Amino acid sequence: MTQDSTGPAGWPGADLAALVSDWWKPFFSAPATLTQPILPGWTLGPSLTINNANSSAPQTEADVVQRHSYGRQLGRICDVLDVLIGNLGEGARDDKRVVSFVAMTQEISEVKLNAAVRRVNQLRADLISLKTARPQEYQRLRESLRSVLDQN
């Protein structure tokens, strides 16, 4: 088989090297930037959208939430209302709205206590790891915790 300047025999005008090169390009060339979303549509951690659809001043609201989270705001409101409810007469304390609010604050307190238990359990596991990996750091933290635990 011979090849002339116009291409291989039987394929006048074809350039075999160009054909092979063009055919292999998709397999070996990569774009300059590669991006691939990991877990598209998933949100890891709390997410809150503040925009014109749910706020008349979204930037102001975002600034406030950055300084005082909704949880902190709700906690302070609950604290004040607890004082006010304590000053109510017996009949007013039996109002279903007050009873519902008190139940909600008790549920919130329970969630907070359960979270504290989880954090203390995690701290315990971390201390066990430190005891082996960094004994001096473990001893320092142990003494610091002991002084707090022995205060009462």
Side-chain angles (χ1 to χ4, degrees):
M1 228 181 215
T2 62
Q3 181 176 352
D4 63 18
S5 62
T6 60
W11 295 352
D15 179 358
L16 186 56
L19 284 173
V20 171
S21 172
D22 288 343
W23 187 81
W24 282 99
K25 272 185 185 176
F27 299 104
F28 291 107
S29 64
T33 303
L34 294 173
T35 58
Q36 178 181 1
I38 307 290
L39 305 173
W42 287 38
T43 301
L44 303 175
S47 177
L48 175 67
T49 301
I50 302 171
N51 56 33
N52 288 325
N54 59 17
S55 175
S56 61
Q59 187 56 54
T60 302
E61 188 167 344
D63 293 344
V64 169
V65 170
Q66 187 173 15
R67 181 175 269 176
H68 299 285
S69 71
Y70 288 127
R72 182 175 295 140
Q73 292 177 47
L74 181 58
R76 289 182 181 175
I77 291 168
C78 288
D79 291 345
V80 168
L81 286 175
D82 187 46
V83 170
L84 295 175
I85 290 170
N87 291 327
L88 290 176
E90 284 301 317
R93 281 188 225 151
D94 294 335
D95 184 292
K96 67 180 181 178
R97 295 167 295 186
V98 173
V99 170
S100 176
F101 180 81
V102 169
M104 180 192 71
T105 59
Q106 289 169 344
E107 289 173 16
I108 291 170
S109 293
E110 192 64 26
V111 167
K112 289 179 177 182
L113 290 172
N114 290 337
V117 168
R118 284 192 304 273
R119 287 192 309 271
V120 169
N121 285 334
Q122 181 61 53
L123 174 62
R124 184 178 181 278
D126 291 345
L127 287 170
I128 290 169
S129 295
L130 274 177
K131 186 175 184 178
T132 303
R134 295 185 182 170
Q136 291 176 332
E137 185 74 8
Y138 167 79
Q139 286 298 331
R140 186 185 70 73
L141 290 170
R142 181 175 180 249
E143 294 307 316
S144 175
L145 288 171
R146 181 171 277 158
S147 69
V148 171
L149 294 172
D150 290 341
Q151 284 181 358
N152 292 331

